[in-house]
Amino acid sequence: MGRARAGPLMLLSTALLVPWVSGAVLVALDGRRRVVAWLAVASLAATLAVLGVLAADVLTEGAREVVTGGWPAGVGIVLRADALGVVFASLSVLVLLAAAAHEAVGGVRSRTFPGLVVLLGAGLTGLFVTADVFSFYVFFELAMTASYPLSAYGGKRRQLRAAVVFTAVNLLGSFIFLLSVAGAYRVTGALAMDRVAERMPAVTPNAALLIAAGFFIAFSVKLGLFPFHFWLPTVYAGARPAVAAILSGAVANIGAYGLLRFGADLFPEQLRHAGVALVVLGAASVVYGGVLAVARGDAAEMLAYSAIGQVGYVLVALGVGGPVGLTAAVLYSVVNSLNKALLFLVSGMRGALVAAAFAVGALSVAGVPPAAGFVGKLELFRTGVVAGSVALVVLLLVGGALSLVYLFQVYQRRFWRPDPSATGAASPLPQRLSAAVLALVVLAVGLWPEPLLVIGGHAVDALLAVDTP
Amino acid sequence: MILAFALAAAVLFGSGAYLLLKRDLVRMVAGIMLISQSAVVTIIAASLGRGRAAIGVGPGDGVSDPLPQALALTALVIGLATVALLLALVHRAIVVFRTAEQDELAATEAEHEAGLQRQRQADLEETGTGEEAETRVEKENRVWGERGRGR
């Protein structure tokens, strides 16, 4: 029990406990009071700081592992922070922080909102640092349970309908995930991820494929990929802007992370076999999302369909696979969640600064430099070139063109109307500033992409590394 | 034994899926409940070794793996909590919408759709496609308005 063991244990448990404890306390308080809202923002900021320290630790020292409760490894639940998990955890908490700050400035409308956002942060953080399939499910449900009432935030009829649809569909996805966990335990007799990965190759191919398909469906429902997207437009367009930002920028990360972690780590064999199918599904998502986004007039609905299109790119990169494809998938997930959070937050606001922030987000989605999206798109093009497929490169170009069309169509409607009655009055200045800050983050990532690229590389190394117990 | 469990899980899942496709919100919740139970049954079945009892073990007999029973308990509790939450949401929706039919909920979209008409009209004015477009928009607005008042 030297310092060597105490370090990661302290960091990991702090990262989990800070949002957990503060969330539990904040839920009991009246969230409409300004103090409580800002306390929630503060605790999310603290979580982000701890995760930042943890990330620095992981990137320099390699993955950190802790077995809970002092059990021997293999009996106790293993918490394992590697580069991929830490990246996704920090990103999700950043998005939650932006959304919570946005609401805190504008005035929270319900008692539970701040506490729920913090609890969602607790669930997400746990999910990204666990190395055990069943505790992944438990954290997954913790995060989702917090997000169900969040999707009803606002309490108007549209929000309620969004919440009912979101809850029903995602519960179904959760139970399909649970069925796959049961199957994985049945065929491997293990729950720790590295052991499942070790024993998977020995399993009969049919059973393994079935289990992998179950996981794939569960995560695709979360992401809103093409055949599982039916719920997404209703929910994203019906929820309030801050909630839509949380759902698309933080909750959807569960799907992206799950596909990467379970696909590349636990079922590499099945992922390779299904490569072509994944690329086709991803391409269908890209085209479908893009075309429908052009057809819809409403900003929120346009963004919802755009989200379907954007996750298609992640799936395409995953389908191509290999180090290049996985790197592109990680980077694009990160960039996409920043873009979507920014655009959804901005979609509820008005004013000159807001227009600028929207333009930055739009350029980033389309992949125009200097915004962050350019880095993601560049990696995707590399994937296309590595795969040696002309069709892929053409698809990327078409997708980019479509996203330019639909985003600037909405931009023109929102910010270039000649009569002010159509555009409405400007939002309060602090809120506009918060959007501008997030836009600056997107720009900064695009202008100085080196850290992101390095982290992405580390994350993929962690995925592809042969697990040494 | 495994066959019995597999059949039970399959029947539960099938009935759940059937109920999910109903138009009534409460039936939909019942369907999700059944599917959650099917997942629990599957977890218990994951521990069955051939000829080893999961419950009612005599002294000296081999026992089956206890871990999935712990998992099943956890899954049951989580399932209960989430389904309770869904029921509360559905109850709230029924109070607000005064109906338990999915279609009626979907009709609220029509009202939202009507709100978008103003945007479309502004578009048409900008592109200058003139009179006939405007009358069409007005007609649509009237139709939506009547539907909205009908609720």
Side-chain angles (χ1 to χ4, degrees):
Chain A
M1 287 301 288
R3 278 196 51 79
R5 276 211 53 196
L9 178 66
M10 279 296 297
L11 267 180
L12 264 173
S13 34
T14 320
L16 284 178
L17 281 175
V18 168
W20 213 313
V21 173
S22 52
V25 171
L26 286 169
V27 161
L29 300 174
D30 185 354
R32 284 168 303 189
R33 305 216 326 258
R34 257 169 202 278
V35 181
V36 177
W38 285 111
L39 272 176
V41 173
S43 67
L44 282 170
T47 312
L48 189 60
V50 174
L51 281 173
V53 175
L54 186 65
D57 199 34
V58 166
L59 292 177
T60 50
E61 307 279 321
R64 295 301 205 152
E65 206 167 272
V66 171
V67 184
T68 49
W71 292 94
V75 179
I77 292 169
V78 183
L79 293 178
R80 189 156 173 279
D82 65 2
L84 182 74
V86 168
V87 167
F88 271 98
S90 318
L91 173 74
S92 306
V93 173
L94 177 69
V95 169
L96 291 178
L97 181 64
H102 176 270
E103 273 311 296
V105 168
V108 178
R109 297 154 187 249
S110 86
R111 297 178 65 92
T112 49
F113 180 84
L116 282 174
V117 175
V118 178
L119 279 177
L120 177 60
L124 287 170
T125 313
L127 179 139
F128 294 134
V129 300
T130 182
D132 180 282
V133 180
F134 193 78
S135 77
F136 185 97
Y137 167 73
V138 173
F139 280 120
F140 178 96
E141 281 292 18
L142 177 67
M144 292 319 292
T145 309
S147 65
Y148 300 144
L150 270 185
S151 57
Y153 174 65
K156 296 250 173 15
R157 292 173 75 142
R158 290 195 80 213
Q159 276 102 43
L160 259 178
R161 175 163 179 257
V164 169
V165 172
F166 179 71
T167 310
V169 171
N170 278 290
L171 272 180
L172 194 60
S174 301
F175 292 129
I176 287 172
F177 180 82
L178 192 55
L179 280 168
S180 271
V181 171
Y185 184 75
R186 171 79 198 163
V187 295
T188 61
L191 286 171
M193 283 183 190
D194 43 6
R195 293 200 180 196
V196 174
E198 265 170 41
R199 297 177 191 179
M200 249 326 154
V203 173
T204 46
N206 275 345
L209 191 62
L210 203 62
I211 292 162
F215 282 130
F216 174 74
I217 289 171
F219 292 128
S220 301
V221 167
K222 289 272 171 300
L223 265 177
L225 281 167
F226 169 61
F228 312 102
H229 66 277
F230 53 91
W231 58 275
L232 197 142
T234 307
V235 175
Y236 283 17
R240 289 189 51 76
V243 173
I246 287 175
L247 292 182
S248 64
V251 176
N253 282 346
I254 299 177
Y257 172 83
L259 284 178
L260 284 163
R261 170 70 73 199
F262 281 73
D265 222 0
L266 270 59
F267 299 96
E269 200 57 41
Q270 283 72 25
L271 188 68
R272 242 200 318 281
H273 283 307
V276 176
L278 294 190
V279 171
V280 170
L281 278 181
S285 279
V286 170
V287 174
Y288 172 90
V291 170
L292 275 172
V294 171
R296 303 304 306 184
D298 180 27
E301 241 172 317
M302 179 280 290
L303 286 173
Y305 281 110
S306 160
I308 297 173
Q310 297 296 308
V311 294
Y313 291 123
V314 177
L315 198 64
V316 167
L318 195 69
V320 172
V324 178
L326 288 176
T327 310
V330 172
L331 284 181
Y332 208 81
S333 307
V334 171
V335 169
N336 178 37
S337 104
L338 282 176
N339 289 346
K340 279 283 165 303
L342 170 65
L343 285 173
F344 270 115
L345 280 183
V346 169
S347 72
M349 294 193 272
R350 298 279 190 281
L353 257 180
V354 176
F358 187 94
V360 168
L363 290 173
S364 184
V365 168
V368 178
F374 175 65
V375 183
K377 276 281 199 297
L378 199 64
E379 283 297 319
L380 282 172
F381 273 112
R382 273 186 58 197
T383 332
V385 172
V386 165
S389 151
V390 180
L392 259 189
V393 176
V394 170
L395 170 80
L396 292 174
L397 286 171
V398 169
L402 278 174
S403 51
L404 265 180
V405 170
Y406 62 68
L407 283 158
F408 282 97
Q409 194 182 354
V410 168
Y411 181 84
Q412 183 185 344
R413 277 198 183 141
R414 298 298 294 272
F415 304 109
W416 281 359
R417 282 267 182 257
D419 54 331
S421 66
T423 49
S427 308
L429 185 67
Q431 229 173 6
R432 280 184 286 157
L433 282 177
S434 70
V437 167
L438 199 56
L440 282 178
V441 169
V442 171
L443 268 182
V445 169
L447 285 173
W448 190 43
E450 203 51 41
L452 184 67
L453 289 168
V454 169
I455 291 169
H458 272 292
V460 173
D461 289 345
L463 267 183
L464 293 173
V466 181
D467 284 329
T468 44
Chain B
M1 190 67 184
I2 289 192
L3 185 66
F5 268 90
L7 273 177
V11 167
L12 279 170
F13 195 98
S15 327
Y18 174 75
L19 282 174
L20 252 188
L21 299 174
K22 289 277 180 208
R23 291 221 165 121
D24 186 79
L25 283 175
V26 180
R27 283 212 173 86
M28 181 196 80
V29 178
I32 287 179
M33 277 178 174
L34 286 182
I35 287 175
S36 82
Q37 295 314 311
S38 132
V40 172
V41 168
T42 316
I43 289 182
I44 298 224
S47 69
L48 295 176
R50 192 167 285 285
R52 281 187 267 165
I55 46 175
V57 184
D61 292 353
V63 290
S64 63
D65 186 354
L67 180 63
Q69 303 189 24
L71 302 188
L73 272 178
T74 314
L76 271 175
V77 174
I78 292 176
L80 170 81
T82 47
V83 169
L85 190 66
L86 178 61
L87 264 178
L89 258 179
V90 164
H91 173 258
R92 181 91 198 107
I94 290 174
V95 167
V96 170
F97 288 91
R98 301 207 188 124
T99 172
E101 294 286 318
Q102 295 256 35
D103 304 0
E104 310 265 321
L105 261 63
T108 50
E109 284 304 295
E111 292 168 26
H112 176 70
E113 215 36 64
L116 294 182
Q117 286 302 338
R118 213 179 49 159
Q119 290 278 352
R120 296 216 175 106
Q121 196 164 346
D123 273 353
L124 292 171
E125 279 166 14
E126 270 187 12
T127 50
T129 30
E131 303 293 311
E132 74 281 1
E134 210 161 310
T135 52
R136 201 191 66 226
V137 169
E138 275 170 13
K139 203 172 91 184
E140 276 182 30
N141 270 341
R142 208 178 53 241
V143 172
W144 287 124
E146 278 166 15
R147 286 201 192 179
R149 273 194 297 279
R151 307 234 161 268

